[in-house]
Amino acid sequence: DLTIASPAASAHPHRQMNDDEHDAQPRVIVLAGVSGSGKTSVGLALAKALGGTFVDADDYHPKENVAKMAAGVALNDSDRKPWLLKLAGIIAQKLKSNNERLVMACSALKKSYRDTLRGGHEGKEQGKGCQKLKIILLDGDQELIQKRLADRKDHFFDPKLLKSQFDTLEMPQPSEPVDIVSIKLSRDEIVRSILELIREKQRSSGDQGNSSSKRM
């Protein structure tokens, strides 16, 4: 079932994870959401907090996709398929490695897109009691995000496409292992919320194997 958590969780002071906690963290965290939801800024801060690397999925769009979005033309499933498969390959490679964690910013608007990114890697590491791959959706209303996009000058995305992204967005159902975090919080509060969410999932899944969604 979908668990609802108070945003007050974000008020917990940030602390360094001990060795056991660090080893039990997800290997890859994907921050999903529409353009303007803060995936890049949150992702950079989260990667720093985890001692990992950050990847922006937008950097892997083929030039044809970039040109379409810059011209105000929405991408379709055919446009996104090779892009998503490339990202899934990056995730798969990282999950096979034993080096630092990866935080990826990727819209992943539909369940089928998120399934492609998972690529069968959503299972638990043996003995770790956590998901190797965690997807977190940054959620906010269209009015708030539209204002953010209007203030953004350094991105190829045409703000006029925001409505099409909301039309495409499929909010996770309770059975899908995607956690939801509100973007009404500040960037640092969102990062603290995600770190606390990871700790809570480690504690609960260690005993129960819980893979249900959570909203913060």
Side-chain angles (χ1 to χ4, degrees):
D1 295 335
L2 181 65
T3 304
I4 307 298
S6 168
S10 65
H12 296 322
H14 178 262
R15 65 175 175 83
Q16 294 295 320
M17 293 186 176
N18 61 40
D19 290 342
D20 288 339
E21 287 178 321
H22 189 271
D23 288 343
Q25 290 174 25
R27 179 75 54 194
V28 177
I29 297 176
V30 175
L31 297 179
V34 300
S35 187
S37 59
K39 299 185 296 294
T40 298
S41 61
V42 171
L44 286 166
L46 181 61
K48 182 177 180 181
L50 293 172
T53 57
F54 173 77
V55 167
D56 192 333
D58 283 345
D59 294 338
Y60 293 86
H61 271 299
K63 61 182 180 181
E64 294 83 3
N65 285 6
V66 174
K68 286 185 71 170
M69 288 185 283
V73 179
L75 299 182
N76 56 38
D77 286 0
S78 296
D79 295 323
R80 291 188 173 100
K81 185 174 181 179
W83 172 65
L84 289 166
L85 289 173
K86 180 180 291 187
L87 298 174
I90 294 171
I91 291 173
Q93 184 177 21
K94 176 60 67 172
L95 291 175
K96 292 177 182 177
S97 69
N98 291 317
N99 51 12
E100 61 189 7
R101 270 59 178 173
L102 175 69
V103 177
M104 175 182 287
C106 177
S107 52
L109 300 176
K110 290 185 178 181
K111 182 181 182 297
S112 62
Y113 303 165
R114 298 188 287 269
D115 288 342
T116 297
L117 295 178
R118 290 186 185 102
H121 298 290
E122 68 275 20
K124 296 175 182 177
E125 293 178 330
Q126 184 65 30
K128 296 300 183 183
C130 76
Q131 296 173 330
K132 293 192 290 184
L133 169 63
K134 176 178 286 296
I135 299 178
I136 297 172
L137 178 72
L138 301 183
D139 182 42
D141 62 67
Q142 188 169 339
E143 182 179 358
L144 171 61
I145 295 177
Q146 188 74 58
K147 183 179 183 303
R148 291 186 177 187
L149 287 176
D151 296 334
R152 190 168 70 175
K153 309 299 181 184
D154 57 349
H155 197 275
F156 57 76
F157 183 82
D158 188 331
K160 297 176 183 177
L161 291 176
L162 182 60
K163 183 180 184 301
S164 72
Q165 288 214 336
F166 270 98
D167 290 342
T168 302
L169 176 63
E170 295 176 359
M171 292 298 291
Q173 296 300 305
S175 59
E176 185 183 1
V178 175
D179 297 305
I180 302 171
V181 177
S182 172
I183 65 169
K184 291 182 180 179
L185 304 171
S186 70
R187 184 199 65 183
D188 290 344
E189 288 173 330
I190 291 173
V191 171
R192 287 196 293 271
S193 292
I194 292 173
L195 293 175
E196 180 60 25
L197 186 153
I198 291 171
R199 294 187 181 104
E200 289 181 6
K201 287 287 185 177
Q202 287 167 194
R203 291 192 290 267
S204 62
S205 63
D207 295 330
Q208 303 173 5
N210 182 17
S211 61
S212 60
S213 301
K214 182 168 184 177
R215 181 184 290 269
M216 301 189 77

